[in-house]
Amino acid sequence: QESMHAYAANVYTTVIEELMKGKQRKFIAVEQEFFRLWWDMVATDTQKQQVHQLLEEGRLEFVIGGQVMHDEAVTLIDDQILQLTEGHGFLYETFGFRPQFSWHVDPFGASATTPTLFALAGFNAHLISRIDYDLKADMQKNKKLQFVWQGSPSLSERQEIFTHVMDQYSYCTPSQLPFSNRSGFFWNGFATFPDPPKDGVYPNMSLPVTDANLHLYAQTMVANIKERAAWFQTGEVLWPWGCDKQFFNASVQYSNMDLLVDYINKHSAEFGVTVQYATVSDYFQAVYSRNLTWEIRDSQDFLPYSTEPFQAWTGFYTSRSTLKGIARRASSLLYAGESFFTQYVWKHPEGSICKYKALKQLQSLRWAVSEVQHHDGITGTESPKVKDMYLNNLMYGMLNVKKLMASIIFDINNAKKDGEVYSSVYTKGSGKPDVDLYVVVYNPLAWNITTFVTVSVSNEAMSVYDELGYSVPAQVQSSVESQSTYDLYILVAISGLSYRKYSIKPLDGKQSAFIGSSVKYKRRDLTRADRQSQQLFPVVNNCYQIVFDQNTNLMHSITERETNQTVQFTQEFLEYHVNGDTKKGPISDNYLFAPNASAVPVSKAVGLEVMSGTLVTEIRQYFYSNVTSQDYIYAVYTRLYSVPEGYDGKLLCHRIEQEYSVGPLELNREAVLRTSTNLNTRQLLYTDNNGYQMQKRPFKAYVNNTVARNYYPMVQTAYIEDDTTRLMLLAERAHGVSSQGNGQVEVMLHRRLWNNLQWNLNNNLTLNDSSVVRPVIWLILGTKAVTNTLYRTSGLALEHRPVVMFGALSGDKPKLPRRLQQNSVHDLPVTVPPNLHLQTLSVPGWRYSSNHAEQVHSIRMGKQKQGDADFSRVLLRIRHLYEVGEDPVLSQPVMVDLKSLLKGLGSVVAVEERSLTGTWDVNTLERWKWKTAQYPGKRFFNSTETSEDFIVTVHPKEIRTFFVYFQVQ
């Protein structure tokens, strides 16, 4: 909002006005969040009409077209797709416009998921800028800044995309002038906050173009164009004119630009250059028409990113861990809310909830989750007040969706509207002792899930019953959080996209929950511990034996019981000490990680408590700075689960769940958890790109900054392995991760920093984050074959844990839902095989026509004004989780009968296959085919086959997008 006031609204207002004054002028715009704010709050009817005209003439062009320019390192693919879909839906509905080029100039490093994403969205070319400085210099020298990128090894040439890397000048106009000490080419100066200057005079306004300096300006511009031309293979040079916060006074900008452009073209023979205003599409069209043969780049990404020897941008992988965690929780709640509402709309057409209000509640969270994917959002590279804005928007959207889900439960069960209901997601709600509590648990995944949900209760004597009054396995034990409450673990088995209702009652003499018993061990002084004589004790479930050493209270080893393979396994917390004073050397900040030396162990003493029970064993370790410290800054809670007969416990049994408590840290400390094993990993690490695909990360030695340059983002998954055994880590928020030694993997959990870099001070970019963070990581240890079958489903089970809603039922008998009758068609669960993921099931609400000609016609006729949302179109996405050849069974293509898959929602009457964001019919989508040595013939490329009878075959790594229409009841 501040940016809109200070400059952004003026960009659109003045640019539109200037474009109307000269047919030769052009402009590109990216982020829809800003544009939509201007469109909805500022634009006049005349300006709106002009935008339509300029888009049609191709002089205003939207590139990327998502809500934001998303970060590539720490975002989840689902959220990237969401924010792109939100922006594209608006552009197509409002203008019939579909972006076909990217402008990903500012994310800090480039992921290999992005080219695949943009190819699937129908883009013809992709443009990036921030990659390692030394790599860029090399590519520039050898004219290799342009290539055809096959970002996905499995989709390879089917979803390849031509990619342009900007040269060393990046996306801003170079402002040095040899003939003046004022900056050049930025005639409107720089934006001022919070208010524009009253007199219209901005700081750093460039020297205006006059007859006296016109030739000098032209020489400067031409010299730079020629310098850049030497780095590319074609005679076209993309010369970006602008930068951050520019064009807020477009008239002074364009009038000076016009003078220069005209002058150079009048003297083109002398200069050897002609110049023209262009959009990204003009530039790529020119390069494409050259019909050159391009090199292919494989699925290797451009992470991490360094700008100088001591500037590794690997700190932001962990910065503001709380924001990263809440952003992912919000995304997961949105995912659950979307499918819950979609089912409600189709299964309960007579329901009493206002669908328009419900859609607004979902939209508030769609917007908040989209917005935080920005490359200065979830990255943690914003000032504290902007971080608070993101958090407030996320919390508001989450509250809306929780309210919606609770009201749907009420409506379906015709519960009395005066019953007290409050809903809480993953956080533990507390039941009052004098009322029975019931919990409704929704499984948002399209698989049958067996897992534990945790509820906070006020006493130990509890019983849990299902809808039919049968006793449900549960365990209660004293809470880590507080002395006065207990954690109640309830074993839930729920089919795909379904919910169950459980009642929790104070003990009534019948079957009670198991009560966990506690054993506290003496705090051990690590400096004195006799490492020779070990006192080992095991903690066991059906899959693992974890051994602890009472001499140190640390973990000692883990045995995978099926193969009887034992791995030495120790964990410790360490801190990197970093510098905050620019006079003393390189600094760490929100973006950068610059450790002074190796990490230092933080604790000299460890306390241990073991809570053991029939279902859950929890090992609580507390790490103290010395043997007499009162308080701890670090703790680990490790949970091992046992599943009774009759339940499918495969995933649960193979999961070693760890929750960490870290903070508050001292200033200029970066906290890591280092896990050391005796696996001979040769220091090779694997980490994921955006929860979509894995990247191989061999350890690289550098002259400077080796520690920081070997940090990589883990969005969802990382692993190390030797020839037989693999250790997987699965995360519910992004972290920096590294392997700094053979058999080791370390995860950065938290950072607290202060520095005096002027730029950071000006923008209040400190990371003086005094919070306590509580991230969760699941560990899976086993053979490659076993971990292969588990890690995709487990990663999603962690991402999309069941949504728990609490209600209190006072009075006599709880009103339980009508029995879930399996014979009623409406209670059919939605389930896909374990190698597929139902990535989206939602009612987007767009009003645009699926037929492009019709959509364009209705916009031209002015019919596309505000109307009611369309609830008849359901958006469905299905993703194949495996790569080609990754697993003998799970890597096979899967046939899906969409009619049968969705029969619980109603009778499917039509299915349309669409591009990733829904704006193209895949049968009419013809992306440019760039010539490569592999495919010398240039051909247009058509994506997929959909059969008439609603049966689709999903191949490895495909993400297939459909509009589904049901018979209206």
Side-chain angles (χ1 to χ4, degrees):
Q1 291 292 359
E2 283 183 7
S3 293
M4 285 300 286
H5 171 70
Y7 78 94
N10 291 336
V11 172
Y12 288 109
T13 302
T14 65
V15 164
I16 299 305
E17 186 184 341
E18 289 308 307
L19 290 177
M20 295 309 290
K21 290 181 187 168
K23 279 284 186 219
Q24 78 286 9
R25 295 172 171 180
K26 300 193 176 185
F27 194 77
I28 61 163
V30 176
E31 298 182 309
Q32 291 311 299
E33 174 144 343
F34 281 114
F35 179 75
R36 289 170 83 166
L37 286 169
W38 177 79
W39 184 258
D40 291 337
M41 314 281 198
V42 180
T44 63
D45 285 349
T46 307
Q47 287 166 333
K48 289 185 174 183
Q49 205 38 59
Q50 290 170 338
V51 170
H52 277 281
Q53 183 190 329
L54 290 165
L55 281 168
E56 215 160 292
E57 291 173 6
R59 299 200 295 115
L60 172 65
E61 179 172 271
F62 289 112
V63 286
I64 307 178
Q67 283 291 94
V68 296
M69 184 189 297
H70 68 256
D71 168 68
E72 299 196 35
V74 298
T75 46
L76 198 59
I77 186 168
D78 309 58
D79 301 329
Q80 297 177 351
I81 294 171
L82 170 77
Q83 73 85 20
L84 208 54
T85 303
E86 279 299 293
H88 285 190
F90 164 76
L91 285 175
Y92 195 53
E93 185 166 272
T94 314
F95 306 111
F97 183 86
R98 302 179 285 199
Q100 287 190 276
F101 301 94
S102 95
W103 181 259
H104 248 228
V105 295
D106 214 18
F108 322 131
S111 160
T113 307
T114 317
T116 303
L117 210 65
F118 288 157
L120 289 167
F123 287 18
N124 288 320
H126 176 37
L127 185 149
I128 62 176
S129 181
R130 292 182 180 266
I131 65 169
D132 260 343
Y133 69 99
D134 39 8
L135 178 61
K136 182 178 278 198
D138 188 59
M139 290 166 76
Q140 198 167 275
K141 193 175 77 199
N142 296 306
K143 296 194 180 190
K144 295 202 171 190
L145 289 168
Q146 294 172 317
F147 46 84
V148 169
W149 196 354
Q150 297 182 349
S152 160
S154 295
L155 301 174
S156 66
E157 78 280 355
R158 289 189 299 140
Q159 300 301 343
E160 68 189 18
I161 193 165
F162 181 78
T163 304
H164 172 102
V165 183
M166 292 189 130
D167 59 46
Q168 68 190 43
Y169 291 103
S170 191
Y171 63 91
C172 293
T173 321
S175 58
Q176 252 65 46
L177 294 180
F179 56 91
S180 161
N181 55 5
R182 281 167 69 181
S183 72
F185 304 103
F186 293 103
W187 296 282
N188 56 197
F190 289 98
T192 60
F193 282 77
D195 299 303
K198 298 270 183 290
D199 59 2
V201 176
Y202 285 84
N204 292 10
M205 291 170 79
S206 292
L207 202 59
V209 176
T210 60
D211 288 348
N213 65 22
L214 180 53
H215 188 73
L216 296 168
Y217 251 122
Q219 280 180 318
T220 305
M221 183 168 168
V222 167
N224 184 263
I225 290 170
K226 286 182 168 171
E227 181 187 6
R228 294 160 102 153
W231 300 329
F232 291 94
Q233 294 187 39
T234 75
E236 292 78 30
V237 176
L238 186 157
W239 208 74
W241 209 323
C243 195
D244 298 359
K245 307 184 180 67
Q246 283 295 314
F247 283 92
F248 48 82
N249 181 355
S251 75
V252 62
Q253 201 59 26
Y254 276 109
S255 55
N256 281 282
M257 287 158 73
D258 282 352
L259 292 170
L260 253 177
V261 167
D262 292 346
Y263 182 81
I264 293 173
N265 288 340
K266 278 202 186 80
H267 300 87
S268 62
E270 172 195 338
F271 286 126
V273 166
T274 58
V275 288
Q276 67 175 72
Y277 287 106
T279 60
V280 180
S281 142
D282 294 333
Y283 171 70
F284 281 124
Q285 184 70 62
V287 176
Y288 182 62
S289 62
R290 293 273 183 159
N291 201 14
L292 297 186
T293 300
W294 300 97
E295 281 189 15
I296 290 173
R297 180 182 176 87
D298 65 9
S299 57
Q300 186 59 48
D301 64 7
F302 292 96
L303 288 164
Y305 162 61
S306 289
T307 37
E308 286 173 26
F310 285 102
Q311 292 188 344
W313 296 49
T314 56
F316 81 91
Y317 301 159
T318 306
S319 296
R320 300 206 193 286
S321 180
T322 302
L323 174 64
K324 285 175 163 66
I326 289 173
R328 285 273 280 276
R329 242 165 51 193
S331 155
S332 175
L333 177 64
L334 175 63
Y335 173 76
E338 295 278 15
S339 65
F340 204 57
F341 176 65
T342 304
Q343 293 186 85
Y344 175 77
V345 167
W346 287 102
K347 290 182 183 184
H348 303 277
E350 73 299 331
S352 66
I353 290 174
C354 169
K355 290 190 298 200
Y356 298 101
K357 183 186 169 196
L359 191 60
K360 283 212 159 33
Q361 289 173 305
L362 285 166
Q363 277 167 341
S364 69
L365 191 52
R366 287 176 193 169
W367 273 54
V369 173
S370 293
E371 162 188 274
V372 78
Q373 307 310 317
H374 187 279
H375 58 273
D376 278 315
I378 195 168
T379 49
T381 55
E382 63 285 279
S383 68
K385 68 177 177 181
V386 178
K387 177 246 327 176
D388 292 339
M389 175 206 73
Y390 284 123
L391 285 173
N392 290 340
N393 291 351
L394 289 165
M395 297 310 248
Y396 171 73
M398 287 171 83
L399 186 66
N400 278 334
V401 171
K402 289 173 192 176
K403 281 182 188 160
L404 171 61
M405 292 180 78
S407 58
I408 288 175
I409 295 277
F410 256 150
D411 196 58
I412 293 174
N413 295 311
N414 304 321
K416 289 199 191 76
K417 293 288 185 277
D418 57 4
E420 179 197 341
V421 154
Y422 40 97
S423 90
S424 171
V425 176
Y426 307 149
T427 50
K428 298 159 186 182
S430 56
K432 303 191 191 71
D434 54 333
V435 290
D436 291 352
L437 194 67
Y438 72 84
V439 292
V440 174
V441 184
Y442 177 62
N443 167 24
L445 290 164
W447 304 312
N448 299 339
I449 284 291
T450 303
T451 190
F452 283 97
V453 295
T454 317
V455 179
S456 222
V457 292
S458 50
N459 71 62
E460 275 189 310
M462 285 285 168
S463 306
V464 182
Y465 300 98
D466 68 10
E467 303 90 342
L468 292 179
Y470 291 124
S471 176
V472 173
Q475 179 175 321
V476 68
Q477 60 196 38
S478 66
S479 168
V480 168
E481 303 283 305
S482 80
Q483 300 306 306
S484 57
T485 60
Y486 297 88
D487 290 339
L488 175 64
Y489 288 84
I490 305 170
L491 182 65
V492 298
I494 312 176
S495 26
L497 268 53
S498 304
Y499 70 88
R500 300 278 310 268
K501 198 161 177 179
Y502 301 91
S503 53
I504 302 169
K505 301 178 180 184
L507 198 57
D508 49 12
K510 295 199 219 99
Q511 171 80 44
S512 76
F514 299 112
I515 295 178
S517 60
S518 157
V519 179
K520 282 197 168 107
Y521 292 84
K522 203 175 139 203
R523 193 187 294 191
R524 292 295 180 180
D525 184 342
L526 294 180
T527 56
R528 291 223 164 100
D530 178 356
R531 301 279 172 140
Q532 303 317 319
S533 72
Q534 297 170 327
Q535 282 182 284
L536 305 179
F537 70 92
V539 176
V540 184
N541 73 357
N542 286 337
C543 297
Y544 300 113
Q545 171 176 285
I546 305 181
V547 174
F548 287 83
D549 181 356
Q550 271 173 257
N551 267 348
T552 58
N553 287 342
L554 295 174
M555 208 182 280
H556 169 271
S557 64
I558 301 179
T559 302
E560 201 274 317
R561 295 182 62 189
E562 198 179 345
T563 57
N564 211 19
Q565 178 86 17
T566 299
V567 175
Q568 302 299 312
F569 199 98
T570 55
Q571 290 185 311
E572 60 177 338
F573 288 105
L574 302 102
E575 285 174 351
Y576 286 100
H577 293 211
V578 296
N579 166 44
D581 185 353
T582 51
K583 294 191 188 71
K584 292 184 179 159
I587 57 148
S588 267
D589 65 6
N590 300 53
Y591 308 90
L592 309 176
F593 172 40
N596 285 346
S598 300
V600 181
V602 288
S603 55
K604 297 205 167 63
V606 183
L608 178 70
E609 181 181 5
V610 177
M611 303 292 306
S612 43
T614 354
L615 302 173
V616 184
T617 303
E618 182 176 68
I619 301 103
R620 301 172 180 175
Q621 291 166 290
Y622 303 96
F623 294 77
Y624 298 92
S625 52
N626 61 58
V627 86
T628 55
S629 308
Q630 287 301 301
D631 298 318
Y632 57 88
I633 293 179
Y634 294 91
V636 186
Y637 311 107
T638 304
R639 301 183 191 105
L640 210 53
Y641 298 105
S642 300
V643 183
E645 287 294 307
Y647 286 87
D648 172 13
K650 187 175 162 203
L651 283 187
L652 205 47
C653 175
H654 281 96
R655 169 188 314 165
I656 300 171
E657 177 170 290
Q658 291 199 313
E659 183 179 353
Y660 311 102
S661 175
V662 179
L665 300 177
E666 287 175 49
L667 214 47
N668 288 331
R669 298 285 188 270
E670 318 219 11
V672 302
L673 175 80
R674 182 176 290 167
T675 300
S676 305
T677 70
N678 61 344
L679 297 175
N680 179 20
T681 61
R682 302 177 186 85
Q683 236 176 314
L684 179 60
L685 173 70
Y686 294 82
T687 68
D688 65 329
N689 275 161
N690 317 105
Y692 179 66
Q693 64 191 36
M694 299 305 294
Q695 291 278 353
K696 202 173 186 170
R697 310 292 192 191
F699 189 86
K700 296 177 185 158
Y702 295 94
V703 178
N704 300 306
N705 220 15
T706 292
V707 170
R709 287 188 83 173
N710 279 284
Y711 256 80
Y712 294 93
M714 161 172 71
V715 177
Q716 206 169 42
T717 314
Y719 63 85
I720 54 173
E721 63 184 17
D722 64 10
D723 298 338
T724 55
T725 308
R726 181 183 287 168
L727 170 67
M728 311 261 350
L729 285 68
L730 301 170
E732 39 73 81
R733 70 188 71 179
H735 299 278
V737 21
S738 186
S739 177
Q740 297 283 338
N742 189 23
Q744 278 183 7
V745 57
E746 65 182 57
V747 180
M748 192 180 287
L749 297 174
H750 202 11
R751 322 176 71 215
R752 184 179 183 185
L753 310 169
W754 183 88
N755 68 79
N756 58 5
L757 185 69
Q758 200 53 51
W759 194 85
N760 285 337
L761 294 175
N762 294 349
N763 293 285
N764 193 17
L765 264 184
T766 59
L767 196 61
N768 190 355
D769 181 349
S770 57
S771 64
V772 176
V773 296
R774 300 291 298 260
V776 171
I777 285 180
W778 289 357
L779 306 174
I780 302 175
L781 182 73
T783 61
K784 293 179 190 182
V786 167
T787 53
N788 246 348
T789 59
L790 296 171
Y791 82 103
R792 302 272 182 194
T793 35
S794 295
L796 284 157
L798 174 57
E799 190 64 39
H800 299 296
R801 288 166 286 187
V803 177
V804 181
M805 289 168 277
F806 301 91
L809 291 170
S810 43
D812 321 327
K813 192 124 180 338
K815 247 197 166 167
L816 291 172
R818 300 186 293 254
R819 168 75 186 118
L820 298 175
Q821 296 142 346
Q822 284 306 331
N823 54 3
S824 137
V825 70
H826 276 330
D827 291 318
L828 288 172
V830 179
T831 43
V832 295
N835 51 355
L836 294 188
H837 170 44
L838 189 77
Q839 188 163 310
T840 309
L841 183 67
S842 74
V843 176
W846 303 311
R847 305 182 312 278
Y848 61 69
S849 165
S850 314
N851 178 308
H852 185 61
E854 267 176 35
Q855 173 63 6
V856 170
H857 180 70
S858 78
I859 287 169
R860 288 209 176 121
M861 302 308 286
K863 289 183 190 154
Q864 219 24 53
K865 294 283 179 267
Q866 285 303 307
D868 282 340
D870 174 10
F871 290 90
S872 68
R873 174 187 291 152
V874 170
L875 176 66
L876 169 73
R877 282 194 194 94
I878 297 175
R879 161 154 67 110
H880 197 302
L881 295 172
Y882 282 81
E883 298 283 1
V884 169
E886 188 179 354
D887 183 273
V889 179
L890 297 168
S891 292
Q892 296 302 317
V894 186
M895 280 175 76
V896 182
D897 181 337
L898 297 179
K899 205 176 169 87
S900 156
L901 175 70
L902 299 171
K903 63 176 181 279
L905 277 74
S907 175
V908 174
V909 291
V911 172
E912 300 164 350
E913 182 157 9
R914 308 292 292 184
S915 60
L916 183 69
T917 58
T919 53
W920 292 87
D921 171 347
V922 292
N923 300 308
T924 62
L925 174 59
E926 293 193 330
R927 293 199 308 122
W928 297 354
K929 180 68 195 172
W930 297 74
K931 218 160 71 171
T932 58
Q934 188 181 353
Y935 293 99
K938 196 201 248 190
R939 59 197 168 86
F940 284 107
F941 199 67
N942 214 327
S943 37
T944 42
E945 81 303 325
T946 317
S947 63
E948 287 304 296
D949 49 2
F950 306 128
I951 292 175
V952 293
T953 302
V954 187
H955 294 273
K957 289 323 266 190
E958 282 187 341
I959 302 173
R960 304 283 288 277
T961 304
F962 305 95
F963 288 163
V964 180
Y965 303 89
F966 294 95
Q967 189 159 355
V968 179
Q969 299 165 30

